[in-house]
Amino acid sequence: MMRAVVLVDKTNMEVQEVAKPSPKAGEVLIKVVYTALDTALHEVANRTMIPGSLLHNLKVTPLVAGWHFSGIVESIAGGVDNLKVGDAVHGHLQYSSKTEQGTLTDYITVPASECAKIPEGINMDVAAAVTTEALTALQAMRDKGGLSKGKSVLIIAAGGGVGTQAVQIAKVLKAGSVHAVCSTKDVSNATKLGADLVIDRTKKDITKALDAASYDVIFDTTGKYSLMKMRYAMKKGGTFVSTIPNITDYPPFSWIVGIATGKHSKSLMVKCNRQDLELVGEWMKAGMTVPIDSVYDIKDIDDARERQESGKKSGRVVIKVADGW
């Protein structure tokens, strides 16, 4: 048996004893040291159909949430040759209706292909905090948007968790110009992270006041905008990428939009994989920063959740699991 924070209902959580998992072929058993909170917790706790049911299996009992993790490999099943017992690893559980476990617990099992060794010199709290944001930014811009050397990108909400990683990753990918949109309080930080131009959204309506045909890629980390609102600012053949699915992302609507506008709309559901985690690890060693708002022991999970949902945080709310009960 092991301890886990169970989502009793949409507002109440409690620590319960639950069954300790065993790794299957190709998997490793990980003792969780740190996890982190994100907006998915609210959706799953409230059992929302969209997006909650897309992020976790809502029918499983007990319902344990949490996706980010850093921890120590405790045991290995057959078919794993890239990890050994005692390795410090990180990653995140997949955001999927098939996911039945959570990281607000002592142990998790994950495929060895969905975690990576933590680079030497990187603290485990930081390793837990970086995973979903960095991989979302990377996969959205590189894989969905086709961002590469010399291309231009506009990052909307560059002051948020995904946005701060996106600015830094766009620079690493050698984008020709990296423009960031954020609120007044985040302008200075977006500049420090490397944005070539920072646009204060409180002073400029980005749906009307940007230069026409400026960007190869527009990455909306909020899901509040759309290709139709932003197409005027996109180059021909450009791609609008959102973290929230839109009807124009799927056939036949995507074909119609592509033909009518000469531009593309895509959305992303981030997938954890070792190769991308290792790439992000290299960038972290080279100086990529990961903002952490606060660190709470898991025994203080109610306070941590309040902080997460307060709207006042600046960075990731991290949870210490090991020795935190």
Side-chain angles (χ1 to χ4, degrees):
M1 300 296 286
M2 65 176 185
R3 295 161 297 190
V5 174
V6 174
L7 300 175
V8 179
D9 54 40
K10 64 182 180 181
T11 56
N12 295 302
M13 302 179 290
E14 66 180 31
V15 177
Q16 296 181 10
E17 290 285 318
V18 302
K20 181 179 177 180
S22 298
K24 301 175 183 177
E27 294 182 341
V28 295
L29 176 69
I30 297 171
K31 180 176 176 60
V32 179
V33 177
Y34 286 94
T35 182
L37 303 185
D38 59 26
T39 54
L41 175 63
H42 175 82
E43 301 297 339
V44 170
N46 282 270
R47 277 75 167 175
T48 60
M49 183 59 66
I50 302 295
S53 64
L54 303 177
L55 304 172
H56 197 283
N57 184 333
L58 300 182
K59 296 181 180 180
V60 66
T61 54
L63 180 57
V64 180
W67 290 263
H68 303 66
F69 68 85
S70 64
I72 304 297
V73 175
E74 183 154 301
S75 67
I76 296 174
V80 177
D81 56 12
N82 63 304
L83 295 171
K84 65 182 185 299
V85 172
D87 281 343
V89 295
H90 71 144
H92 66 82
L93 301 180
Q94 304 294 8
Y95 293 96
S96 168
S97 59
K98 297 180 180 179
T99 295
E100 296 186 353
Q101 56 183 337
T103 55
L104 289 166
T105 188
D106 284 317
Y107 294 94
I108 56 172
T109 55
V110 299
S113 60
E114 296 177 11
C115 63
K117 294 178 184 178
I118 298 174
E120 185 176 349
I122 303 300
N123 292 335
M124 295 190 78
D125 56 346
V126 175
V130 73
T131 55
T132 61
E133 286 76 12
L135 265 59
T136 296
L138 173 61
Q139 293 170 15
M141 295 188 297
R142 179 196 64 190
D143 302 339
K144 295 292 185 177
L147 185 65
S148 58
K149 185 177 181 179
K151 291 187 175 182
S152 56
V153 60
L154 177 72
I155 298 164
I156 300 174
V162 175
T164 56
Q165 301 306 306
V167 171
Q168 297 176 85
I169 290 172
K171 298 299 289 188
V172 174
L173 294 177
K174 301 186 184 301
S177 61
V178 179
H179 292 183
V181 178
C182 59
S183 60
T184 305
K185 67 181 180 64
D186 295 316
V187 168
S188 176
N189 188 56
T191 302
K192 291 178 182 177
L193 291 175
D196 300 303
L197 173 69
V198 181
I199 300 163
D200 187 336
R201 64 174 176 79
T202 67
K203 298 179 179 179
K204 180 178 287 190
D205 182 354
I206 64 170
T207 65
K208 300 176 181 178
L210 301 177
D211 291 338
S214 299
Y215 302 106
D216 295 294
V217 181
I218 294 181
F219 178 29
D220 175 20
T221 72
T222 69
K224 296 179 180 179
Y225 296 83
S226 67
L227 169 66
M228 302 314 290
K229 287 183 178 180
M230 301 302 300
R231 67 186 186 278
Y232 82 96
M234 298 169 61
K235 294 180 180 179
K236 186 175 180 62
T239 303
F240 178 89
V241 185
S242 176
T243 55
I244 303 296
N246 187 286
I247 193 172
T248 57
D249 302 338
Y250 305 101
F253 303 102
S254 59
W255 302 335
I256 296 170
V257 170
I259 293 171
T261 67
K263 297 157 189 177
H264 312 284
S265 177
K266 298 182 180 181
S267 59
L268 172 83
M269 180 66 81
V270 62
K271 297 295 183 183
C272 192
N273 66 80
R274 184 173 71 244
Q275 292 78 12
D276 284 349
L277 285 169
E278 289 176 343
L279 187 59
V280 168
E282 292 175 8
W283 295 338
M284 291 171 68
K285 289 179 65 176
M288 188 175 82
T289 61
V290 181
I292 291 180
D293 174 85
S294 49
V295 179
Y296 291 83
D297 286 345
I298 197 167
K299 65 182 176 63
D300 299 318
I301 186 63
D302 288 321
D303 293 337
R305 184 177 175 185
E306 183 179 352
R307 178 65 181 177
Q308 167 69 23
E309 298 178 356
S310 69
K312 299 177 181 179
K313 71 182 183 69
S314 179
R316 183 57 58 208
V317 175
V318 174
I319 307 297
K320 183 182 179 183
V321 178
D323 301 322
W325 298 92

